[in-house]
């Protein structure tokens, strides 16, 4: 795996090609050894699209676990928060859902409408307080999802979320050790986007809540026109690997999606091999 940001492996020849992509990568086994399998600009703060929804889910899970939030409470979308794109709720005839079902939709299909309703329900300030309490910065959820984003307007952030790979791995460690309530894993294991790093594991994208091919995957992705992000926990036997692979590029310089997805698949292949071999290669 390359150690230089902004470059991508050319797997066919072992050579290197210059790219316009900025990467932040951190891959670490959660075995207490302190070993890091791979790093590439792990502290680089990038746009992460829907990855920031992880903080919202963690806060709602905490409130449910403490009894502060009834998981069966019905929440209803308002017209000014209606959004489409990723998700299912916008296409359903049901105007209201239980809190826990909204969380399941976020975990399963990164549901934008469910995110907006949950965010109004708990408040963005509470999400920031939760992140501060768990020292998640620079991982942050900045705003709700909007049909159009104009940062010149009051209260409108220039992007949905930001993070560095290292900060996301800190979140994943809290999820792994139970500091973040395990019900978040129950929601994320429903995730249907296995198009990036997770594509290497060959799992059924619509049914992988149980171990398959010796692998159990819990992941969250984020996508935008110039963002790809895949973060998660992948386990085999008693071994669990935390990974965060974030990529941004400049759309004015062309569409780098194919090369980003190709490299993400290579990283996933390395992780899959490493689960058996005990480490990943630092150079391809």
């Amino acid at each position: 795996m390359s150690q230089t940001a902004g470059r991508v492996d050319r797997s066919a020849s072992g050579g290197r090609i210059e790219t316009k992509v900025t990467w932040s990568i951190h891959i670490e086994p959660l075995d207490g050894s302190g070993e890091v399998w791979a790093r590439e600009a792990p502290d680089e703060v990038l746009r992460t699209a829907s990855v920031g929804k992880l903080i919202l889910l963690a806060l709602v899970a905490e409130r449910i676990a403490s009894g502060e939030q009834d998981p069966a409470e019905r929440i209803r979308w308002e017209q000014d928060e209606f959004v489409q794109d990723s998700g299912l709720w916008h296409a359903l005839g049901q105007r209201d859902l239980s809190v826990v079902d909204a969380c399941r939709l976020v975990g399963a299909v990164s549901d934008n409408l469910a995110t907006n309703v949950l965010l109004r329900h708990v408040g963005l300030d509470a999400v920031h307080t939760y992140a501060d309490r768990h020292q998640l910065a620079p991982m942050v959820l900045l705003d709700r999802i909007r049909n159009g984003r104009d940062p010149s307007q009051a209260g409108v952030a220039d992007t949905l979320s930001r993070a560095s790979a290292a900060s996301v791995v800190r979140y994943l460690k809290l999820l792994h050790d139970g500091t973040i309530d395990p019900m978040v894993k129950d929601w994320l294991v429903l995730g249907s986007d296995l198009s990036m790093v997770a594509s290497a594991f060959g799992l059924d994208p619509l049914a992988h809540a149980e171990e398959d091919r010796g692998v159990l995957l819990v992941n969250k992705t984020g996508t935008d026109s110039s963002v790809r992000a895949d973060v998660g926990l992948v386990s085999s036997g008693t071994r669990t690997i935390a990974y965060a692979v974030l990529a941004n590029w400049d759309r004015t310089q062309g569409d780098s999606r194919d090369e980003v997805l190709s490299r993400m698949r290579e990283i996933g292949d390395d992780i899959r091999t490493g689960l058996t071999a005990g480490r990943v290669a630092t150079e391809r």
Side-chain angles (χ1 to χ4, degrees):
M1 188 176 298
S2 167
Q3 299 298 302
T4 306
R7 303 178 73 88
V8 65
D9 297 319
R10 184 182 302 180
S11 56
S13 65
R16 322 299 277 184
I17 56 174
E18 295 290 344
T19 76
K20 306 174 185 68
V21 180
T22 302
W23 294 87
S24 183
I25 299 170
H26 189 102
I27 303 169
E28 181 176 340
L30 302 185
D31 56 8
S33 68
E35 179 186 12
V36 175
W37 276 5
R39 274 195 190 109
E40 182 170 313
D43 298 317
E44 182 86 19
V45 180
L46 300 179
R47 292 169 289 118
T48 51
S50 291
V51 168
K53 297 172 184 177
L54 287 171
I55 308 174
L56 172 62
L57 292 180
L59 171 60
V60 177
E62 180 181 75
R63 291 188 171 187
I64 292 173
S66 70
E68 182 179 355
Q69 172 65 59
D70 178 1
E73 180 182 354
R74 309 296 291 187
I75 52 176
R76 182 180 179 89
W77 59 261
E78 305 294 342
Q79 192 61 48
D80 66 347
E81 60 199 6
F82 183 82
V83 286
Q84 299 185 52
D85 294 326
S86 93
L88 285 174
W89 194 4
H90 70 271
L92 302 180
Q94 187 71 26
R95 185 74 180 256
D96 65 293
L97 291 173
S98 69
V99 166
V100 72
D101 279 347
C103 291
R104 289 171 178 140
L105 279 178
V106 175
V109 291
S110 198
D111 198 287
N112 283 340
L113 183 52
T115 298
N116 279 355
V117 178
L118 287 167
L119 193 55
R120 168 173 50 83
H121 187 65
V122 301
L124 185 58
D125 287 345
V127 174
H128 291 165
T129 298
Y130 180 93
D132 289 344
R133 178 156 45 92
H134 291 284
Q135 300 181 328
L136 296 178
M139 184 181 182
V140 61
L141 179 63
L142 294 165
D143 201 356
R144 65 179 176 90
I145 294 93
R146 300 177 183 273
N147 287 317
R149 187 168 294 283
D150 181 359
S152 68
Q153 295 181 358
V156 179
D158 63 347
T159 191
L160 179 62
S161 75
R162 290 194 185 92
S164 65
S167 66
V168 177
V169 167
R170 286 201 300 274
Y171 176 102
L172 294 170
K173 288 178 178 179
L174 296 177
L175 183 59
H176 178 65
D177 70 19
T179 302
I180 293 173
D181 194 276
M183 73 180 75
V184 174
K185 288 184 183 179
D186 295 338
W187 301 332
L188 295 178
V189 79
L190 303 172
S192 56
D193 184 4
L194 306 186
S195 64
M196 303 181 219
V197 175
S199 66
F201 304 117
L203 304 177
D204 184 337
L206 301 180
H208 57 274
E210 298 180 353
E211 184 176 293
D212 181 25
R213 311 182 82 183
V215 170
L216 181 63
L217 173 73
V218 175
N219 79 316
K220 181 77 189 77
T221 61
T223 65
D224 203 343
S225 58
S226 56
V227 175
R228 287 297 182 274
D230 189 352
V231 309
L233 299 169
V234 57
S235 303
S236 181
T238 60
R239 177 176 303 226
T240 297
I241 309 304
Y243 72 87
V245 181
L246 317 176
N248 287 184
W249 62 91
D250 184 349
R251 283 181 297 168
T252 66
Q253 302 299 313
D255 186 358
S256 297
R257 188 185 316 177
D258 287 343
E259 70 179 51
V260 165
L261 291 177
S262 176
R263 187 180 183 204
M264 284 184 153
R265 173 60 185 250
E266 290 178 356
I267 292 170
D269 286 338
D270 284 346
I271 294 172
R272 183 176 178 181
T273 299
L275 279 169
T276 301
R279 60 175 294 119
V280 297
T282 58
E283 290 288 345
R284 291 184 66 89

